[in-house]
Amino acid sequence: MATENYNFPSTLNINELPVVHIKLNTPPLSCIVKAILPELLKNYENASAEVVQCPDLTQPPFNLVSEGLSGNENVFDIGEITNMIPSIKREKLYNIKDLKQITGSDPLVIFGACAGPYPFLGIDSECVVNVKMTGDQVENGTHAHMTKSNDDPECCHKMLPNDEMRFSFLANFFTSNGFKGEVLKIVCEVRKGPLSFSMCIREALVKHFGDEIIAIGGVIFIENGKVKVHVIKPSFMKKPSKSEKELENLVHFIELSPPLAGVGCIVSHNPGLNLRCQHFHLYSDHNQGGHYHNDTEPNTIKYTGYFGVSKQFTKID
């Protein structure tokens, strides 16, 4: 799928980049339930939030590399949108493997959303990161979604091999040991307000906790209702953009049909670190996916999410 000849840079060592670690005062899950439910009900006809044991995420509909979301939980924000505006910084190429040294976790499980490894694919992409590292062994179930051409928005899909762990520009990851444990379960049906699922949760957290940072990450399942996503066009690497608004001209907006699954993170408060405060990428058994925006069939939409709460937030580069 290569679109042009390009001398790709070496991968940056994340451990040598600027890092900000923030220890979080993690509230009990029951407290988060009480905080968010009233706001969820303002945006959805039917909504519930409860504390449950995490289902086995290795099973359908998620098919991830680990069973759970618990153990040494951390939310990472790596890179930022300025790596694409006003010019594309091709040197911003990172490796997921470096996170093991930062977290000290073994096993280390990484779920989340990022831009894909363009040197491997020969094209930019939206990636659903799904990785487990145990000792020196790697299990990589990462999905990459691309489009066929600038004019053809048909979604293409590729699974990354175990030895391809790179990503570019920016990423939002939830990491843990992948153990089963208690998680926050949120179910929302029939949207009556303007907010997306992730934005609604974030605004609910902000309203209750204010400037206190609550960072959560996990999985969502869209059982009913179509959703809007974007997927980068092949021309992305050639055209600089002056603003985030101009970036919209370099992506295809696509409507996806359920069933769909997704992974990502939500950070309630941005303490001046230029964060992407909610970021989810979707994937499916029918090989469609992309960067989640909102649902397009509010009368039939149904979301189910399972989230772990992070004990630490880490901003890199």
Side-chain angles (χ1 to χ4, degrees):
M1 290 187 177
T3 57
E4 62 176 82
N5 293 323
Y6 192 91
N7 292 321
F8 295 117
S10 301
T11 306
L12 297 170
N13 184 342
I14 287 179
N15 295 283
E16 297 176 354
L17 298 175
V19 178
V20 177
H21 295 288
I22 302 176
K23 288 285 187 182
L24 303 181
N25 181 22
T26 306
L29 291 173
S30 58
C31 180
I32 296 178
V33 166
K34 293 178 182 178
I36 67 173
L37 187 54
E39 299 305 310
L40 296 177
L41 287 167
K42 292 178 182 178
N43 202 59
Y44 295 95
E45 288 288 349
N46 304 306
S48 64
E50 59 182 327
V51 180
V52 301
Q53 284 292 316
C54 189
D56 185 349
L57 301 180
T58 66
Q59 299 301 308
F62 301 111
N63 300 309
L64 297 177
V65 293
S66 76
E67 293 184 339
L69 300 169
S70 296
N72 196 23
E73 303 90 346
N74 202 326
V75 165
F76 283 87
D77 187 299
I78 303 171
E80 55 187 42
I81 196 69
T82 56
N83 289 338
M84 295 181 277
I85 302 171
S87 60
I88 297 167
K89 297 179 181 178
R90 281 295 175 202
E91 69 272 19
K92 297 298 184 178
L93 185 65
Y94 310 92
N95 197 313
I96 290 171
K97 285 185 177 180
D98 293 340
L99 298 181
K100 195 169 186 184
Q101 182 176 336
I102 291 176
T103 63
S105 292
D106 192 356
L108 174 64
V109 173
I110 307 103
F111 298 146
C114 68
Y118 53 87
F120 176 76
L121 297 166
I123 194 172
D124 285 292
S125 62
E126 315 285 346
C127 267
V128 173
V129 169
N130 173 31
V131 170
K132 182 176 183 179
M133 291 184 281
T134 307
D136 294 330
Q137 294 186 330
V138 173
E139 184 178 357
N140 190 356
T142 296
H143 302 256
H145 295 99
M146 304 140 283
T147 53
K148 281 195 170 181
S149 71
N150 295 341
D151 301 318
D152 186 351
E154 183 178 345
C155 191
C156 304
H157 170 266
K158 187 176 183 66
M159 297 296 297
L160 299 188
N162 284 344
D163 60 353
E164 183 49 74
M165 302 278 281
R166 294 172 294 178
F167 63 97
S168 55
F169 303 138
L170 54 82
N172 296 91
F173 296 146
F174 179 82
T175 70
S176 71
N177 295 126
F179 301 149
K180 294 191 74 173
E182 288 190 335
V183 293
L184 179 65
K185 179 182 180 181
I186 301 172
V187 180
C188 293
E189 297 181 80
V190 187
R191 180 170 57 84
K192 60 184 178 180
L195 301 178
S196 71
F197 183 63
S198 54
M199 178 64 81
C200 184
I201 295 170
R202 179 178 176 245
E203 291 206 357
L205 292 171
V206 170
K207 185 169 184 177
H208 186 85
F209 295 102
D211 291 346
E212 183 179 354
I213 299 174
I214 308 298
I216 67 175
V219 299
I220 58 175
F221 175 56
I222 300 168
E223 182 177 346
N224 296 319
K226 295 181 179 180
V227 298
K228 175 184 177 181
V229 303
H230 80 239
V231 181
I232 292 174
K233 293 180 181 179
S235 64
F236 181 77
M237 65 170 62
K238 299 179 182 180
K239 297 181 180 180
S241 299
K242 296 179 181 179
S243 67
E244 192 163 357
K245 183 68 176 176
E246 280 193 17
L247 279 179
E248 293 183 2
N249 298 323
L250 303 181
V251 303
H252 283 298
F253 288 98
I254 306 170
E255 189 177 58
L256 302 185
S257 298
L260 299 158
V263 294
C265 306
I266 299 169
V267 179
S268 63
H269 173 65
N270 184 354
L273 294 175
N274 199 20
L275 307 180
R276 177 159 288 205
C277 289
Q278 64 270 335
H279 193 186
F280 283 81
H281 283 184
L282 304 183
Y283 61 103
S284 66
D285 287 340
H286 45 286
N287 293 336
Q288 290 188 318
H291 175 107
Y292 166 75
H293 284 265
N294 203 348
D295 54 83
T296 59
E297 295 183 333
N299 291 333
T300 59
I301 193 67
K302 181 178 180 180
Y303 299 97
T304 301
Y306 297 95
F307 299 97
V309 182
S310 181
K311 298 179 177 65
Q312 181 164 273
F313 175 78
T314 304
K315 171 64 178 174
I316 300 176
D317 200 23

